[in-house]
Amino acid sequence: MQTPASFEYERATSVEGAIASLQRLGSGARIIAGGHSLLPMMKLRLANPEHLIDINDLAELSYIREQGDELSIGALTRHVELEKSELLARHFPLFRDAENVIADPVVRNRGTIGGSLCQADAAEDLSAVCSAVKAKAVIRGAGGERVVGMEDFHIGPYVTAVGEGEMLTEVRIPLRPGGGSAHEKVERRAGDWAIAAASAAVWIEGGKIADVGVALGAVGPTTIHLSRAEELLRGKAPSEGLFAQAGEIASADCSPSADGRGPIDYKRHLASVLTTRALSRATARALHQEA
Amino acid sequence: MHVSISVNGEQVSREIEPRQLLVHFIRETPDLTGTHWGCDTSNCGACVVQMDGQPVKSCTILAAMCEGHEIRTVESLEVDGQLDPIQMGFHEQHALQCGFCTPGMLMTARALLDENPNPTDLEIRTAISGGICRCTGYKNIVSAVRWAAEYEAAAKQEV
Amino acid sequence: MATVENLPSAQTERPIGFGRLKRKEDARFIRGKGTYLDDIRLPGMVHGAMLRSPYAHARILSIDTSKALAHPNVAAVVTAKDLETLGLAWMPTISYDTQAVLAGDKVRFQGQEVAFVIATDEYSANDALQLIDVEYEPLPAIVNARKALDPDAPLIRDDKAGQRDNLASPTWEAGDQAATDRVFAEADTVVKRDIIYPRCHPAPLETCGMIADFNPETGQLDIYNGNQAPHAHRTVYAHVAGLAEHMIRIKCSDIGGGFGNKVPVYPGYVCAIAGSIVAGVPVKWVENRDENLISTGFARDYVMHSEMCAKNGKITGLRVDVIADHGAFDSTAQPTKFPAGFFHIVCGSYDLEASHVKVKAVYTNKAPGGVAYRCSFRITEAVYLVERMVDALALELKVDPIELRMRSFIAPEQFPYETTTGWTYDSGNYAETMRVAMDIAGYEDLRREQAEKRARGELMGIGVSFFTEGVGAGPRKHMDILGLAMNDGADLRVHPSGKAVVSISAQTQGQSHETTFAQIVAEELGIPPEDVEVRHGDTDRSPYGLGTYGSRSTPVSGAAVAVVSRKVRDKARLIAATMLETRPEDLAWEKGRWYVKGDLEKGAMIEEIAVRAYSGEPMPTGMEGGLDAQVIYDPPNLTYPYGAYIAVVDIDPDTGQVTVRRFIAVDDCGVRINPMVVDGQIHGGLAEGVGIALMEVLTFDEEGNCLNSSFLNYLIPTALECPDFELGETVTPCPHHPLGAKGVGESPNVGSPPAIVNAVIDALHQTHGVDHIDMPCTPARVWAAMQGRPEPPQ
C-alpha cells in the first residue's frame, strides 16, 4: 500500500495554538483536518509536509449558525453536516445539491468545508457553491482576522489567499430575502470529480432578478466567476431564454482543458447546459415553484 | 509517538510513527485483520471502520488522529456468539462472494441502519456507494441490508 | 417413467444435493476472519517493494542503489544484474514468449519492474524506492496497435534474436476464405464496421501479492499467494528455480477476487522468491493499486475490422480482421493451439454459410496480458464483435434486431452443430431463451414506451445481445498450458464416520466452491453437504489440476467431483452387496443408500457402508479397505452456455449521460447446482459489463503514460450505476457433462457489454443518425457521437 513520507505530528488545542505552530514551523507545516485531500497526495508523495498540525479537536471551528444578516460556517464543519443542515438547506439549498454529489457518503463523514476550499481544486464543488452565494472567507493569522471575498480567495490552481502562518476559520454568507440557489454537476460516475459543474444563486425582487451569482467548477484552472453572465441577468425578469443566454456566456467565458473526462467543446457545452439548469432551478426555488 | 486508541471497546496503546495509517494500526493489532484495503485513493471502501459510530475510510486517517476516539471494526459486530443482523442478512441474501469488500460494506450498512432503520433501496445504494464490490453487482447487498432492517423491525415489535 | 430405481424409500429423507444452499464460506468472511494474503505474517518476515519505470520505452543507462542500500531498514536491493547471476533475469511466459523479471537493457512499458527493495517494513521499503537513481534514455513509444507495424515504428523487442518488427505472432486464420468470398458475392446486404474492444482491467479488490518462505536448511520453498492456478504455478516455479515440485508448496490464501488477474506469474512473485532464497527469510510483496492497474494482466485491446452479410433477410457470412495488442511481452494466458484463443467462436449463435477470421498480434509499449477479466480466452471480444455486427446489419435491413437474430439462429434440431470455424456446439434452443428474455422485459411494451418518449424528445434505447460461449477448457487433445493438459483432479475420501473430504484442484476466488462442490458430493452420495469438507488451494493437499478461470470450475473440476463420487458409489455398491449378502446388480441406489431391488426395507446407508469399509469385517473379494477414490477428469468437449440479454438505457439529451435503467439476463448454463450462487455470479458479471460498457478503460497518452492508474480514473461502477438486475433461466443440460452443467461465471461479462452498447445506439440512431460507438460510452463520447463524431479511443 502507498504510505506517506515521515513527518512530525502535533495536535492543536486552540486556533491560536495552531496559528502559532504554523508561524513557528514555516512552510514545511500543513494543517490537517479531514485529510481526504491531503493524505492521498502524501501517499503519492506529491505532498511531503514536514509537520502536520491536526485541528480535528477544535470544536469551536465546527458550526453552522445564523449571526445577524449572515450565515456562518466554521471551517471544520464536515460535508455530512453541511448536507444534513436544515438551516443551510432552507437558506441555500445548493449546498445540499452539491453535498449529495461530493465524493461519497463515507468520505463526506470526514472531509471539511475548510479543507475543500483550501485544496482549491478547480473541480471541487464547494468553491463554485461559495462563489455563487457570494461567501466571504475569514482568514486568521497571528495579527488577527481578515475577510476576503471568494473572487479573491482562489488565486490559482491549488493556491488560495491563505498565506503562510494563516488558516481559514470561517465562511460567511450574507443572508438576503428572495433568494434561491442550485448546484448542477455532470460526472462520469457517482463520486467522481465533475466533468463540469455550475452553481447559481438568484435573489428576486418584484419579479426581477435583483442580484445573482453564477460560478463554474472544473472548466478552468480555478473556479470561474461568471461576472458577464451576472451582469446580463441583473435587473431582468427571469426566463428560460435569458438563462440560455447566460449559458452561452458560460460556454464562452470558461477555459476548460481536455482530459480523461472530456474534450474542450464538450465541457464548454456542459458549462452552458448546467448554467442554464442551475439558474432555472435556483429561480424556481426563489419563487417557491420548484417541481 | 505513543498513541492509545479505543478499538472495539478496548484501549490499544502502541508506539507508532506519526505517519502510520489507521488501517495499518488496526491490522497490526492481533486478530484484527478483518479491515482490508483495496486502493490508495479513498475510492474502494474496503477499509471502512466506524469512528465514533460513523463509517470512515481508515486508509485516509492517521492513527495519530484517533486518540480519544472510538474505533469499531467488523470484528466487533458479533457479540457473545450472536451475529449482528447485518451479518445474518449478508449470509441469508448471498451478499458476498470473495468476501474482501464485506467488512467495509458491513460497517457502512450497520451505520446506515443505526441512523435510518428503514432505508429505501436508493438510500441503501447511496450509503454503500463509497465502496466497490467486484463480485455481487450490489443487488444482493441491497437485499441483505433490507433483510437486516426488516429483521430488526420485527425483533423490536416482539419486545 | 418411474422405475424401481428412482422410487422414494421408506427411509428418512436424505438431504438434497442441488438447490439454494447458503454458503459455508460466509461464516469466516462475515466475521472478518478470512485470511487474505496481506493478513498473513510470518516470523522474521521482511517486505518487498517494486521500483517501476516512469517511461513506456527507454534505455536504462545506469541504476544506482547505493543510497537505498544505506537506508537503515533496507536489507537488499535487487536489480536485473543480480538476477542474471541467478539465471532469473528473464522468465518464460505462458504463451512461449519471454518476459523480463527486472528490466536490465530497456524498459518496454510504463510500470515495468526495474528494482526490488527488501526492507524490514512496508513504510521503509516505500521510502527506499525514492532513493534509487535510475538514468534513462527515453525512446519513442508505440501505444497504438495500428501503428505498431509501421515501417518506422521503433523495435520494442530487440532482445529477441531475429525479431525485426513488432509482430508478436504470425497472422492466424480460421474458417474458409474462398467460401466466405463466395457468400459475400451472393449476398444482398453487407455492413462494415471498425470495432474496438478497448483495454480494460479485472482490478480485483485485493491486489496481487506473495509471501515466499525459503528454508535454507531443508531446501523447502513455501509460497503463500492468492492465485487461480496453484498447481500450474508450482510447475513454473519448479522449472524456473530448478527445484523439485515436491519441495515447493503453494498455499493459497483466501482470494479477494481474481477475474483472470491472478492467473499469470508476475515478476514480483519471482522477486519475492529470489529474495527469500537469497535472504533466507520470508519475503512479502503486495502490490499497490496503481501497480495492479499498470502492470498486471489486462483484458481485451482488440482492434477489429468486420464485415457481415445477409441474403433474404438472414445472416449468411462474416469476415473479421483483427489486430491484437499484446503489450510488450506476449503473456496471454491462453491454452489452445490457436494464437487467438477461442476468438473464432465469433460466428456466435448463428447458422452462417461461411466465415473467415484473421488475427495478428503486435507488441506495443504497454503492459503484457490480454485474456483476463472473466473471459474464456478471447470469447468476450468475439461475442462483442458478432453482436455489434448483427445489430449493424439489423439497422441496414431496417428489421428489429431480435427478429434478425431469430431468423438466423442455429435451430434446436441442428445440434450438434459444427460452426464454420470448426467448433462443435453440443446443444441449445436459442429462440426459446430469447423469448423468455423478451417476456421478462416486456419487449413490445418497451418499444411502445420508446416511441412515446422519442416523440417527447426523450432518449431511450433497448439493446439486445445473444451469446454462445465455449468454456471449460479443455480436452487434452485440443489444448494445454505449457504442455500441461487442462484436466482437473478430485480425491474423495468418505471416513468411517460417514463424513467426507473432497480435494479439488480448482481454486475459489469467490465462486463458492466450498459449498457447491459439497453439494455435488451430496447429490451423488447422499452425504449432507455440511458433512463434506471441500479442500483446495494447497498444492500439498490437493490433486494436480489447472485451476479456476475460463469458467472451467464446474465444467471440469465439478465433473471430476461428480465422477469421483460415482466411483465411490460404485465401490459402496460392492461393499453393500457383501453386507446385504446379495449380488451388486440386485441393488438399486437412491440418495445415500443402496437397497435391494423390490425390498425397500433392506439396504445400507452410505455411512453404514463406510463403517464396514474401514472395519474388520470382510470386504468383497479382492477389494482393498476404505471408501475413497480419485480421478483426473479430461473433458470430452467444451461446454457451450448461452444467453439472451436485454438492456434498457436512458440518455440525457443535453449531457450524453447514459443510465442503465433495466437489465434482463436469461442464462442457459445447463443444470444449476446452486441457483443462488449462479444468480450471484451473474449479478457480478453484469456489473462488470456495465463498467466496461460505460466507464472502465485503460488509456495512454502518446508517450505511453497510463492515464488510468488509480481508482480515481479507472472507474468501476458503484451501487448507484447498477440497476436491479432481472434474471431468468432456461435449462438445456450439457449432454456430455456428468451433471449436465455448463459453467456460468463469465457469461454475464461476455454478454452484457454488447447489449448496453446496442441500447445506446438504439437510443440515438433515429434521432441523431448514430450507427456506431466504441466503449466506454462515457458522457463525453456519447455527446460526441450525437454531434456526428463517434470518436474511437486512441
Side-chain angles (χ1 to χ4, degrees), chain A residues 30 41 117-123 154-160 193 221-222:
Chain A
R30 291 283 298 264
M41 306 243 301
L117 296 181
C118 290
Q119 178 69 13
D121 188 312
H154 289 123
I155 291 172
Y158 308 103
V159 184
T160 69
W193 296 87
T222 182

Side-chain angles (χ1 to χ4, degrees), chain A:
Chain A
M1 190 172 172
Q2 291 172 351
T3 51
S6 293
F7 52 82
E8 298 291 325
Y9 169 90
E10 71 176 64
R11 227 185 238 218
T13 52
S14 68
V15 174
E16 292 70 28
I19 291 167
S21 292
L22 284 172
Q23 299 252 314
R24 178 167 45 85
L25 299 168
S27 61
R30 291 283 298 264
I31 284 186
I32 186 164
H36 277 56
S37 300
L38 183 56
L39 276 175
M41 306 243 301
M42 289 170 62
K43 284 200 262 179
L44 284 166
R45 313 248 168 151
L46 295 174
N48 296 291
E50 292 155 31
H51 298 267
L52 281 189
I53 301 159
D54 178 357
I55 61 164
N56 280 287
D57 283 353
L58 304 185
E60 65 266 37
L61 289 182
S62 177
Y63 54 85
I64 303 169
R65 60 185 172 229
E66 230 173 309
Q67 280 177 316
D69 55 0
E70 281 183 330
L71 196 88
S72 308
I73 304 172
L76 194 62
T77 307
R78 299 192 195 272
H79 290 296
V80 63
E81 293 158 331
L82 300 172
E83 180 183 345
K84 299 218 162 127
S85 164
E86 291 303 329
L87 177 67
L88 195 54
R90 192 163 69 243
H91 290 295
F92 299 105
L94 84 172
F95 271 95
R96 188 169 285 174
D97 295 342
E99 286 299 348
N100 281 328
V101 292
I102 291 174
D104 62 66
V106 181
V107 168
R108 296 200 290 267
N109 283 336
R110 289 298 293 169
T112 65
I113 185 170
S116 290
L117 296 181
C118 290
Q119 178 69 13
D121 188 312
E124 192 283 309
D125 293 87
L126 287 186
S127 296
V129 164
C130 287
S131 296
V133 298
K134 302 186 186 298
K136 297 187 196 75
V138 180
I139 298 169
R140 207 188 295 179
E145 267 183 15
R146 60 196 179 96
V147 179
V148 300
M150 287 313 292
E151 63 281 8
D152 300 320
F153 183 79
H154 289 123
I155 291 172
Y158 308 103
V159 184
T160 69
V162 181
E164 211 173 296
E166 290 186 320
M167 65 186 280
L168 175 70
T169 55
E170 187 179 83
V171 175
R172 290 179 191 158
I173 312 170
L175 286 170
R176 288 182 283 168
S181 62
H183 182 75
E184 296 278 347
K185 174 180 184 177
V186 173
E187 51 192 0
R188 296 176 298 180
R189 189 207 63 189
D192 189 21
W193 296 87
I195 305 172
S199 286
V202 297
W203 290 268
I204 310 271
E205 274 175 32
K208 297 260 168 64
I209 297 172
D211 197 8
V212 57
V214 192
L216 302 175
V219 286
T222 182
T223 305
I224 308 264
H225 304 253
L226 283 180
S227 42
R228 274 207 316 138
E230 292 174 9
E231 277 165 36
L232 167 83
L233 294 160
R234 218 169 272 125
K236 299 216 176 66
S239 74
E240 287 304 314
L242 182 67
F243 297 154
Q245 280 179 43
E248 279 168 31
I249 294 174
S251 181
D253 286 6
C254 64
S255 50
S257 48
D259 60 16
R261 292 184 174 77
I264 289 170
D265 60 349
Y266 176 58
K267 292 184 179 183
R268 284 193 189 279
H269 167 76
L270 285 185
S272 166
V273 169
L274 299 183
T275 297
T276 309
R277 284 183 182 179
L279 282 166
S280 180
R281 197 141 64 101
T283 304
R285 282 172 172 167
L287 301 172
H288 307 289
Q289 291 168 346
E290 193 181 20

